[in-house]
Every structure is written in structure tokens, then in C-alpha cells.
Amino acid sequence: MSEIKLPADSGGGSVSLKGPATTTGNAAVPFVLPVADGSAGQFIKTDGSKNLSFSGGGKILQVVSQNLTTQMTSSSDSAYVDTGLTASITPSATSSKVLVIVNVSFALNGDNNAYLQLVRGSTVINSGSGGSNNAWTAINANATAFRYSAAQQACNYLDSPSTTSATTYKVQTKVANSNTTLSINRRPDDTEFGTTSNITLMEVAA
């Protein structure tokens, strides 16, 4: 029997590591231990090449949330403009992912299209492809829910920023025709009717 036994520091008893009856192909399997202790709640994992490390295993490490009550309008059809809906997070590891949850309250004043896009820093993420107005969603005001009354548009996206620097996410918009106005947190013809939009960022351990 192959066993490494360690007696308790004081009192009786011991702990031990015991080898298996045999290894696959009778191979020698040298596990490489981590160079330092992990954090509370982590566990030891392998990379498949005998190297062991501590991992959080998908744990939510931090949450940042911003609620926007400010009203804005835009008739920009040539470039995307900021809606004011933004939040920043500083990941604790480059391997972390960021779950972005967005809810936008908006309305349009005419029968045309508007677009919403999600941006990390200056990089557009969660965008479609194949067109000149790629975004996470395109809104058509012919739909009654989007015309003249505030409606909700949601987005959930798991991002991989690969950084430990402060990272800003924001929502931008533009319209298909300058005769169209998109309103955030209000109806086009009623500034007294205020709604809210929000963005939440969750750092997820790899």
C-alpha cells in the first residue's frame, strides 16, 4: 500500500494521501501543486496536464448596477450617440467574464426604425453582421408598442473583456431617418411621463 501519512500537530490522529490501486497504463502521474494558497470558497482544479490551481468555478465576484432616470432624445441618423445608460466594472482577473444585463425604456415618434448597440469601451459587442446598421436590436415604430408610448427593450450578454482594468459598458442609439426622434425614459410628446432604464454588470469567475 502506497500512502503518505501526516500525524496531527497535537493530540492523536493523522491525515493521509493514498495512491490508487493502479494508474492508467501504469504511468507515473506527477501532480504539480499551486505555488500559493487560494481564496475562501475556491477549490483545486486541473488543467489536464497535471498542473493544479485554485478556481472559483463560476462564482459571482461582484455586481455593479446603475439606474438611469434622466430623459434624452436623439434624431442622429449618421452616427451612434450615447443614451446616458452606462456602468463601469474592474474585473479581478483577466479570465473573468462579465454578464451584462440591460433594460432600456424608449419610444419613437414616427413610423421608422431605430437601433440600439452595446459598447465596451469603444468596441461594439453583441452585434449582428451583414448590414450597414448592425446592432443588438432594431426597433420598428410600426409596432404599436413602440410608437408614442414608452416600451422596454432588454439585452443579456456574457462578455469576455480579458482585462483587470476599469471597463465601461454603455448603450448607444441612432435612428434610420433624421425625421424620427427616439426618446429615452419618456414619451416623445410628454416630458412629465418619466420612466427608468438600468444596466447591471456581474463579474463571473472563470
Side-chain angles (χ1 to χ4, degrees), residues 10 27-28 33 35 37 45 49 53 56 61 82 86 94 132 144 150 156-157 160-161 197:
S10 61
L33 295 173
V35 298
D37 192 11
K45 70 174 184 178
S49 298
S53 62
L61 301 180
D82 293 346
T86 181
T94 57
S132 59
T144 304
N156 298 308
Y157 181 68
S160 300
S197 301

Side-chain angles (χ1 to χ4, degrees), residues 11-63:
S14 64
V15 295
S16 62
L17 295 175
K18 183 179 179 181
T22 183
T23 62
T24 303
N26 295 321
V29 185
F31 289 111
V32 181
L33 295 173
V35 298
D37 192 11
S39 302
Q42 290 188 318
F43 57 85
I44 290 181
K45 70 174 184 178
T46 178
D47 64 355
S49 298
K50 306 179 182 63
N51 298 300
L52 306 180
S53 62
F54 290 97
S55 174
K59 179 179 178 181
I60 300 298
L61 301 180
Q62 61 173 314
V63 178

Side-chain angles (χ1 to χ4, degrees), residues 104-115:
V104 183
S105 179
F106 70 94
L108 292 169
N109 72 336
D111 293 336
N112 215 313
N113 297 324
Y115 313 99

